[in-house]
Amino acid sequence: MTASSAALAALSGLGFGLSLIVAIGAQNAFVLRQGVRGQHVLPVIAVCAVSDVVLIAAGVAGFGTVVEAFPAVVTVARYAGAVFLIGYALLAARRALGSSTLIAEAAGTSVAVGASVLTCLALTWLNPHVYLDTLVLLGSFASTYASPDRWFLAAGAMLASVIWFLALGYGARRLGPLFARPIAWRVLDSLIAVVMLVLAIGLLLA
């Protein structure tokens, strides 16, 4: 292993990690919403980042082969995730249609940090795509590198997750003035409801 090969592996991991995580999904939609509200942003970001670090490390260590050997794990996560996404979509639709809820959102009514963390954990760990992305895809990609370099690749992918969630969570705060109006929350929650429902249908039809 040389310094140049380690740096190249880390950059490859950074690029590969960003390509997997920068997409419209349930987890990103939730982080965006928490960022706009400015509530429990750091705990939510921490849950997402730590979860990715654990999954990436497991994928690079070869846990992806276990998932491929026992596809029932992904199947269970797929159906459980679909049920949860449908429930979250209904809640978002209810918020979008309920005027009293919109007024509370605009006023910044707080939600317990525990509820936010549990929701984030469910959106992360009940998403079968996270296992395919980190354990299988990233794990397979890392296996093409020699043992020392693959961990630099893992470090790059982990850094990508941390950078993305920090940027998404805290960057969303700039949208705060826009969401001072209830109609903006109506639009955001409507979009979140549609995204969650589409993702749930995609899981059920996969």
Side-chain angles (χ1 to χ4, degrees):
M1 181 190 72
T2 64
S4 60
S5 66
L8 182 60
L11 287 174
S12 297
L14 181 67
F16 195 85
L18 287 173
S19 70
L20 293 177
I21 198 171
V22 180
I24 298 176
Q27 186 187 54
N28 285 341
F30 181 74
V31 174
L32 175 64
R33 190 171 190 279
Q34 291 299 112
V36 169
R37 300 186 71 196
Q39 293 181 358
H40 315 310
V41 179
L42 185 58
V44 167
I45 290 173
V47 168
C48 295
V50 171
S51 296
D52 270 9
V53 167
V54 171
L55 288 165
I56 289 169
V60 173
F63 193 75
T65 57
V66 177
V67 174
E68 291 178 328
F70 299 96
V73 174
V74 177
T75 301
V76 171
R78 179 159 62 91
Y79 286 109
V83 171
F84 184 83
L85 288 175
I86 291 172
Y88 196 89
L90 293 176
L91 289 176
R94 180 183 176 186
R95 288 195 302 264
L97 297 174
S99 58
S100 60
T101 305
L102 289 170
I103 293 173
E105 292 285 9
T109 300
S110 180
V111 176
V113 62
S116 297
V117 168
L118 287 175
T119 299
C120 190
L121 284 169
L123 290 172
T124 300
W125 291 90
L126 289 180
N127 177 14
H129 293 296
V130 75
Y131 300 106
L132 296 176
D133 288 347
T134 56
L135 299 183
V136 179
L137 293 180
L138 184 60
S140 298
F141 183 61
S143 68
T144 63
Y145 287 75
S147 181
D149 284 345
R150 75 179 54 163
W151 289 106
F152 283 96
L153 183 142
M158 293 172 185
L159 180 61
S161 292
V162 173
I163 291 174
W164 170 251
F165 288 120
L166 284 172
L168 183 63
Y170 287 108
R173 285 187 174 183
R174 294 182 177 273
L175 300 174
L178 173 64
F179 285 90
R181 297 177 296 172
I183 186 61
W185 286 104
R186 189 185 299 277
V187 173
L188 178 62
D189 278 322
S190 296
L191 290 174
I192 289 176
V194 171
V195 168
M196 298 295 185
L197 187 58
V198 169
L199 290 172
I201 293 173
L203 290 180
L204 292 173
L205 297 179

